[in-house]
Amino acid sequence: MDVATRLDNLRERIATACQRVGRDPASVTLLAVSKGQPPAVIQSAARAGLTLFGENRVQEAKAKIGQCPGRLHWHLIGHLQTNKARDAVHFFDLIQSLDSLHVAQELEKWAARAAKTLPVLLEVNVAGEASKHGYAPADLLTALPAINALPHLAIHGLMTLAPWSPDPERARPVFRRLRALKGESEAILGAPLPHLSMGMSGDFETAIEEGATLIRIGTALFGERPTAPREPRPEPTPGPDG
Ligand SMILES: *Cc1c(COP(=O)(O)O)cnc(C)c1O
């Protein structure tokens, strides 16, 4: 199946999920997660009408973005280290995965030098998984004022990854909690936050029902990713005879 066919199918599923909760499908933005995909695949997605792409590693994105001409927009959705902040400011339109004041200060420094305002989402580790990055919910609320005070960063909302499960219903409490945290954050900041980035290929319909405005879709658009260094295939286990 090609990207255009998968995209048609996804748009239908997005519309159906919106209909269930009385939302306008235009209130849900589809971000195509292109990590692990070569520029040719990204270009075919662009031809199918996609304009917003997400990458989880700065180095990989830096190599690919220049090879994908056109009016494409790029979000960083993976963990950012301070030594990559300069490139992140240069290559990305928005950072979805901000998770520390230290990184925020580094982004502020480079955004100021570039004389631009960088939109960010704060990543929240709602379920407290050791394997994931992001603020613990309580830490998020205390971190907000200091990040909000940085003049070249603009907080646009919150992002989370639900724990992996074959059952999307398991993600619902996580999405609900993120939405509640958005409300608490808005009260602290005294301003509305437009974005809730939640939902991936396996759980985006549940996320839409719970208020997602940005869904991050990889495999449902592109099929299984080519094997990446971060996601090694398990070695076949030798039998009893070796
Ligand atoms: C890989 C990734 C996705 C997309 O995952 P799929 O299951 O392939 O849709 C979404 N968000 C983040 C942060 C990712 O790293």
Coordinates of all heavy atoms in Angstrom, one line a residue, residues 33 35 56 77 159 161 200-202 216-220 225, ligand 1:
V33 N 5.5 11.0 11.2 CA 6.7 10.7 11.8 C 7.6 10.0 10.8 O 7.4 8.9 10.4 CB 6.5 9.9 13.1 CG1 7.8 9.4 13.7 CG2 5.7 10.6 14.1
K35 N 11.0 9.5 11.0 CA 12.3 8.9 11.5 C 12.5 7.6 10.8 O 11.5 6.8 10.6 CB 12.2 8.8 13.0 CG 11.2 7.8 13.5 CD 11.1 7.7 15.0 CE 10.0 6.6 15.4 NZ 9.6 6.7 16.8
N56 N 13.0 12.2 15.4 CA 13.3 12.1 16.8 C 14.8 12.3 17.1 O 15.2 12.4 18.3 CB 12.8 10.8 17.4 CG 13.5 9.6 16.8 OD1 14.1 9.7 15.7 ND2 13.6 8.5 17.6
I77 N 10.6 15.5 17.9 CA 9.8 14.8 18.8 C 10.6 13.9 19.7 O 10.0 13.1 20.5 CB 8.7 13.9 18.0 CG1 9.4 12.9 17.1 CG2 7.8 14.9 17.3 CD1 8.4 12.0 16.5
M159 N 3.1 17.6 25.4 CA 3.2 16.3 24.6 C 3.4 15.1 25.5 O 4.0 15.3 26.6 CB 4.4 16.5 23.7 CG 4.7 15.3 22.7 SD 5.7 14.0 23.4 CE 7.2 14.3 22.4
L161 N 3.8 10.5 25.4 CA 3.8 9.2 24.8 C 3.1 8.3 25.8 O 3.6 8.2 27.0 CB 5.2 8.6 24.6 CG 5.9 9.1 23.3 CD1 7.0 10.1 23.7 CD2 6.6 7.9 22.7
M200 N -0.4 8.0 18.7 CA 0.5 7.5 17.7 C -0.4 6.5 16.8 O -1.6 6.4 17.0 CB 1.7 6.9 18.3 CG 2.2 7.7 19.5 SD 4.0 7.4 20.0 CE 4.2 5.7 19.7
S201 N 0.3 5.7 16.0 CA -0.4 4.8 15.1 C -1.4 3.9 15.9 O -2.5 3.6 15.4 CB 0.5 3.9 14.3 OG 1.3 4.7 13.4
G202 N -1.0 3.4 17.1 CA -1.8 2.4 17.8 C -2.9 3.0 18.7 O -3.8 2.3 19.1
R216 N 0.8 12.1 16.2 CA 2.1 11.8 15.6 C 2.1 10.3 15.0 O 2.1 9.4 15.7 CB 3.2 11.9 16.6 CG 3.2 13.2 17.4 CD 4.3 13.3 18.4 NE 4.3 12.1 19.3 CZ 3.6 12.0 20.5 NH1 3.0 13.1 21.0 NH2 3.6 10.9 21.2
I217 N 2.0 10.3 13.7 CA 1.8 9.0 13.0 C 3.0 8.5 12.2 O 3.3 9.2 11.2 CB 0.5 9.0 12.2 CG1 -0.7 9.6 12.9 CG2 0.2 7.7 11.6 CD1 -1.2 8.7 14.0
G218 N 3.5 7.4 12.5 CA 4.6 6.8 11.7 C 4.2 5.6 10.9 O 3.9 5.7 9.7
T219 N 4.1 4.5 11.6 CA 3.9 3.2 10.9 C 2.5 3.2 10.1 O 2.4 2.5 9.1 CB 4.0 2.0 11.8 OG1 3.2 2.3 13.0 CG2 5.4 1.7 12.2
A220 N 1.5 3.8 10.6 CA 0.2 3.8 9.9 C 0.3 4.5 8.6 O -0.6 4.3 7.8 CB -0.9 4.3 10.8
R225 N 9.0 0.7 10.0 CA 10.2 1.4 9.7 C 11.3 0.5 9.3 O 11.4 -0.6 9.9 CB 10.6 2.2 10.9 CG 10.0 3.5 11.1 CD 10.4 4.2 12.4 NE 9.8 3.7 13.6 CZ 8.5 4.0 13.9 NH1 7.8 4.8 13.2 NH2 8.0 3.5 15.0
Ligands
LIG1 C1 8.2 6.9 16.6 C2 7.3 7.9 17.3 C3 6.0 8.2 17.0 C4 5.3 7.4 15.9 O1 5.1 6.0 16.2 P1 4.2 5.1 15.3 O2 3.7 4.0 16.3 O3 5.1 4.5 14.2 O4 3.1 5.9 14.8 C5 5.3 9.1 17.6 N1 5.9 9.9 18.6 C6 7.2 9.7 18.9 C7 7.7 10.6 20.0 C8 7.9 8.8 18.3 O5 9.2 8.6 18.7

